[in-house]
Amino acid sequence: MSRIEATFSTLKAQGRKALIPYVTAGFPFADITPALMHGMVEAGADVIELGVPFSDPMADGPVIQKAGEKALSLGVGMVQVLDQVREFRKRNNTTPVVLMGYANPVERYDQKHGTPGTTGSAFVRDAAAAGVDGVLIVDYPPEECEAFAADLRAHGMDLIFLLAPTSTSERMAQVARVASGYVYYVSLKGVTGSGALDTAAVEQMLPRIRQHVHIPVGVGFGIRDAATAQAIGKVADAVVIGSRIIQLIEDQEHAKVVPLTMDFLRGVRKALDA
């Protein structure tokens, strides 16, 4: 059983929903990510999504794009992200960590760090060794991912996919064949941080998804506060919050980043558990 599966199993037994905060690795300061991750766990996070900075993040809105650009300018790439996970694991061996990003940094990592004549992905090998539990690659379609998914599973990691309001039944079935851990339902058409959340539309969509997908379903894009998190938590297995956290910390001094994030997440956790 993966750490992600074990976490959702425990939460289900407790009748609780998963809180999954997202932060861009290396933002707003290159050295802050491990401390921020520990703070989020202390405040009630069940899984952490760590964004891998990339120069052309097609699914991300202006807020997360800007965070990625800042992290890149501070020299944070895949090598540094894995170092941050490794540092986090020195004090926490239970909270699942999911890397969220794009194909280019993964494939570039394989080119630079692979061993000639060996099979398997250098990224998968090193992510597992660092303590990563899941990977969400936005631009990897499920029909092209069976070997990658098998490699991840062989190393104890899950491959997570996005579903959207426009996803067909066929696409849901394709995702169900290769996904593990959980699936991430994008509640809005558009990029991260855009639009207003329509909880009724989410409530109608989740039964359709569950006809095909038999692992937990998290919902993100548009969850901005305790009230929207509570509403989504009534129908989903997890709530994912990203852009709001990035906005909260983007202009803060170093010493305030972790306390502000913890204060915000404590309010969300309280609402989810109410």
Side-chain angles (χ1 to χ4, degrees):
M1 184 182 287
S2 72
R3 260 190 292 238
I4 293 173
E5 192 179 350
T7 296
F8 275 102
S9 178
T10 299
L11 287 167
K12 186 176 182 181
Q14 296 169 346
R16 299 169 70 230
K17 302 304 176 78
L19 173 56
I20 308 180
Y22 165 98
V23 287
T24 301
F27 178 84
F29 302 98
D31 65 344
I32 205 162
T33 304
L36 185 54
M37 293 166 75
H38 286 302
M40 291 192 295
V41 173
E42 190 180 329
D46 299 295
V47 178
I48 294 171
E49 283 188 0
L50 205 52
V52 178
F54 179 50
S55 57
D56 190 22
M58 68 187 77
D60 294 315
V63 171
I64 293 179
Q65 280 191 31
K66 187 178 172 186
E69 288 166 6
K70 173 76 181 289
L72 287 170
S73 76
L74 295 172
V76 178
M78 185 67 81
V79 170
Q80 290 73 30
V81 174
L82 295 182
D83 284 343
Q84 291 166 351
V85 176
R86 205 173 286 112
E87 183 66 26
F88 174 73
R89 285 284 172 237
K90 289 179 181 177
R91 285 172 43 206
N92 183 314
N93 203 37
T94 55
T95 304
V97 175
V98 173
L99 298 189
M100 183 171 182
Y102 296 85
N104 185 288
V106 170
E107 296 184 4
R108 180 66 179 142
Y109 188 94
D110 280 342
Q111 288 173 351
K112 289 183 72 175
H113 300 279
T115 305
T118 61
T119 58
S121 161
F123 164 75
V124 171
R125 174 197 70 205
D126 293 352
V132 172
D133 299 286
V135 179
L136 196 171
I137 307 295
V138 174
D139 46 349
Y140 269 2
E143 61 271 26
E144 302 292 336
C145 278
E146 291 191 14
F148 184 61
D151 196 11
L152 285 168
R153 279 195 297 271
H155 287 80
M157 292 185 287
D158 292 307
L159 184 57
I160 295 152
F161 286 93
L162 299 173
L163 289 171
T166 52
S167 295
T168 63
S169 294
E170 181 185 16
R171 172 56 48 148
M172 292 177 198
Q174 285 174 329
V175 164
R177 278 197 293 275
V178 287
S180 59
Y182 61 95
V183 296
Y184 183 158
Y185 176 58
V186 176
S187 60
L188 304 167
K189 297 175 186 175
V191 294
T192 56
S194 62
L197 185 64
D198 184 344
T199 53
V202 173
E203 195 170 347
Q204 290 173 354
M205 188 67 170
L206 290 193
R208 276 192 57 211
I209 294 171
R210 288 184 171 124
Q211 287 176 359
H212 303 279
V213 173
H214 304 297
I215 56 177
V217 181
V219 175
F221 286 42
I223 299 173
R224 306 187 59 78
D225 53 29
T228 50
Q230 185 179 50
I232 293 300
K234 288 181 171 141
V235 293
D237 301 298
V239 297
V240 186
I241 304 180
S243 294
R244 184 68 192 98
I245 295 172
I246 300 293
Q247 287 175 320
L248 189 68
I249 64 177
E250 62 183 344
D251 295 319
Q252 298 297 332
E253 59 190 74
H254 198 289
K256 291 185 177 177
V257 169
V258 176
L260 278 170
T261 305
M262 290 176 67
D263 187 54
F264 172 73
L265 288 178
R266 281 193 181 108
V268 177
R269 176 83 268 170
K270 186 177 179 182
L272 274 180
D273 290 342

